[in-house]
Amino acid sequence: MSEHSNPSNIYDRFAQVTKQTHDLVANMEQLQAQVTELMETNAELSIENDHLRTMLKKMHQQKHDDDHLSGSRENLKKLYQQGFHVCSEYFGKRLEQNESCTFCLDTIFGHDQPTIK
C-alpha cells in the first residue's frame, strides 16, 4: 500500500493539519488583539495630539495678541523704559534705579482700559 492510502497515516496528517490550523487561529487572535490595542492607542494619541495643537494655537494666538500694543502704548512703554513714570499718579517723574511701578505697567499693558468713544 502507498503511504497516502494508509488510514492511520491520513489520520496523523489530518491531526497535524488540524493542530496547525488551531495554532494559526490562536496566532491570528493574538495579532488581532495587538492590532486592536494599537488602534486604540493611536486613536487616543491622535485625540491628545489634536488637543495639544489646539492649546498651542490658543497660547500662540494669546501671546501674539499680547505682544501688539497700540502706537500710544508703545510710546508709553518707551518712556517707561527710559526711566519715567507714565501712570496718571506720577506721570513724568523719574523712576528710582531698579524701581518698577504697577500703575505704569497697568497703563501700558492693561487690557481693560476704557475706550474713548
Side-chain angles (χ1 to χ4, degrees), residues 2-3 27 37 47 63 66 68 72:
S2 74
E3 87 179 70
N27 284 335
E37 184 180 338
I47 291 168
K63 182 183 180 306
D66 290 347
H68 292 302
S72 58

Side-chain angles (χ1 to χ4, degrees), residues 64-105:
H64 186 68
D65 290 346
D66 290 347
D67 289 347
H68 292 302
L69 295 174
S70 65
S72 58
R73 288 189 183 203
E74 277 293 333
N75 288 335
L76 292 174
K77 181 179 171 185
K78 287 177 188 174
L79 285 171
Y80 182 75
Q81 289 172 338
Q82 291 172 1
F84 295 97
H85 280 277
V86 293
C87 61
S88 59
E89 183 74 27
Y90 303 108
F91 186 80
K93 293 184 181 177
R94 272 229 173 254
L95 290 161
E96 298 293 324
Q97 188 172 7
N98 297 325
E99 177 186 10
S100 64
C101 176
T102 304
F103 300 118
C104 290
L105 294 174

